[in-house]
Amino acid sequence: MSESAKPHHPIPQAKGEKSHGNDFSYVGIDAILEQMRRKAMKQGFELNIMVVGQSGLGKSTLMNTLFKSKVSRKSAQPNPEERIPKTIEIKSISHDIEEKGVRMKLTVIDTPGFGDQINNENCWQPIMKFINDQYETYLQEEININRKKRIPDSRVHCCIYFIPATGHCLRPLDVEFMRRLSKVVNIVPVIAKADTLTLEERDFFKQTIREELRANGIDVYPQKEFDEDAEDRIINDKIREMIPFAVVGSDQEYQVNGKKILGRKTKWGTIEVENIAHCEFAYLRDLLIRTHMQNIKDITGSIHYETYRVRRLNESNEQQQQQPRIVQANGVAAQHEALTHEM
Amino acid sequence: MKLPLLDTESSRGFILRRTATTMASTEIARQAGEGARAVPLAGHVGFDSMPDQLVNKSVNHGFCFNILCVGETGLGKSTLMDTLFNTKFEGEPTQHNQPGVTLKSNTYELQESNVRLKLTVVNTVGFGDQINKEDSYKSIVEFIDAQFEAYLQEELKIKRTLHSYHDTRIHACLYFIAPTGHSLKSLDLVTMKKLDSKVNIIPIIAKSDAISKSELAKFKIKITSELVSNGVQIYQFPTDDESVAEINSTMNSHLPFAVVGSTEEVKIGNKMVKARQYPWGTVQVENENHCDFVKLREMLIRVNMEDLREQTHTRHYELYRRCKLEEMGFKDTDPDSKPFSLQETYEAKRNEFMGELQKKEEEMRQMFVQRVKEKEAELKEAEKELHEKFDRLKKLHQDEKKKLEDKRKSLDDELNMFKQKKTAAELLQNQAQQAGGSTTLKRDKERKN
């Protein structure tokens, strides 16, 4: 019934003017961008970030600095206790923030207790379970018959992993964790409390980390294989040269040169958080929020989630096949294949 | 990477609160009640670039838009498409002698500034031309359902590529009404009633330069009242977003749009405009006093294209999906109102199906065995018959042989006898000759004497 689509390229003689109506050569297709923008602003955005690292590495402070407000777990709880939990807990807190008309539902997922025990075997398991549970919830909602207009997205978009600034190399715990989790979620490794490293030490440390990541086959965000075109690759290569970012977090303001700046005041000087000569916080913020946020969400949605879905749906198929099977003739087996393929 | 400059506002410790839109603030308050805290920002974070990031991604990906034009042959559907998108699509006017309604779709790639649009125009060929038009709407409904089905199949696949899937679902249906000036034809009413739950219908009056202004007003009123009284739900332009609410609600009152299409240009004043030239005057396509073409273009493309796509996906497609899955027997909750997972239901169904298949297979096998037995018996019969025949023939043959043998024997006997007789005769003859010789001599002697 439909003919083959030979992409026909008639270009309306657009003079590039955006005047409405009077210019008869202007059709108005690019008004869809405006429509899309309006719709996005009305709906708002969702972002779920998970922070993982030992206690005392400045995770909560960094979250507060990133979003310039009290979004961390400690600030949300009325009486924060400073004890280290016996097992890993997963605590997620949601915030509604708005900037220039753009509303965002930010969920910060904290993992107190990670890496803090004496025996840290399998400490990544509760975290992996949590991430997979979010995928499962989304999948269940998606295959419902009566499903909501907009499926609430609680999938973890990005996991910030805090590496303590030892200056030597990655610890086995770090390697294990990142190796396992880079397959299910976008990992962004950062060097925490980087004000304890000099610039040379910092560069050396970063190089060592990069080599170790490469040697272990760990693909952190931005993943090489998901670069879409040459332009993307150039931008992402520049980022890959700089990870892991050496960050310093602070939510206190000090006066420097007459301006109020976020920083840490020490006896030998003030470390400015947003100064790229001092630390790479600005790069991290740009990557996460200003330029690559949509890309992070897309990779989570279309690659990590789809991988999970394929695995999950195949699992239940296999469970089916393990039941006693009567020998089937060819015709029946072929239909079996078709069914598998449909679901 | 560029270093973003610090906001001067943040340096003053300015706390960015909600903007002037009160709607946003009530939304936040409501959401805060749902378990999220509303948190004020102490500086410029930068996620206000999110809509831009989203838009950029979409631009790189390209858009697609599918329009279905339903209407009788000769109402100017192709011309209107050409005029709307300001290009010449291929195709020639179709004949009027089609036996049934078929749908022809053509895909075009248009580009304007940096936006790439994959436009698919589907035309109904032969609509309204048959003598018996009862089944005209069927092929259209089937086509729309087929597009939904294709998308549903893709969505249900295990390994799916929704991201790069070329969406062929119909986003807008332009229904062309013939400019009779009186009322809707019954074919129109029936077709629109069947289509209104499957696609966004935008009715338009075609070739409206055939109707005068006063007749047009009456015609529009008549059409709208007929649609309402028959319960046909046409697409209403959305009025919930305040930036377009006003223009959309005015446009809603102008439905159905009375349009004129033309790709020819005529010089008016000192400009070339698209128009139709008659001896008594020129109808300018883009003159709002002459026809509603500008309104249609505004509503269809410039203001509501995204909303049309969204409605198709969230309302029409979801409805189709729900009906289809329920048809296949899936439910969300069982009688105990425990949620069934689609997976479990599917497994149960599959088991059922497999069981049925097993049964059928057994049956077939039985039948097969029986048939084989029958055939065997038949063959045995045949074999027996053959054997009998063979035996008979053999017997016949032996009989013949025997007869021949007998005959031969008798012949042999005769021959022997004959030989014997012959030899006896010869002997006799010899004897007789000897005796005869002597007798002859004797006779001769006697004679001489």
Side-chain angles (χ1 to χ4, degrees), chain A residues 270-338:
Chain A
T270 312
I271 306 163
E272 297 165 37
V273 165
E274 302 215 1
N275 187 341
I276 46 164
H278 291 198
C279 79
E280 294 174 338
F281 169 80
Y283 292 139
L284 175 70
R285 181 199 48 207
D286 283 349
L287 176 75
L288 270 190
I289 300 176
R290 294 189 190 178
T291 55
H292 282 70
M293 196 197 279
Q294 187 59 38
N295 186 242
I296 289 177
K297 288 172 63 168
D298 281 343
I299 291 187
T300 310
S302 55
I303 297 176
H304 293 299
Y305 169 70
E306 289 295 321
T307 318
Y308 175 80
R309 183 174 175 273
V310 168
R311 195 159 40 95
R312 182 82 172 72
L313 292 181
N314 277 334
E315 250 170 38
S316 39
N317 278 347
E318 277 166 14
Q319 278 172 14
Q320 233 6 65
Q321 287 177 11
Q322 273 166 19
Q323 290 176 6
R325 221 180 353 161
I326 311 172
V327 176
Q328 293 158 350
N330 264 348
V332 180
Q335 262 170 321
H336 176 87
E337 290 302 327

Side-chain angles (χ1 to χ4, degrees), chain B residues 281-292:
Chain B
T282 321
V283 181
Q284 294 163 36
V285 166
E286 276 166 343
N287 188 332
E288 297 223 32
N289 291 329
H290 290 196
C291 74
D292 292 336

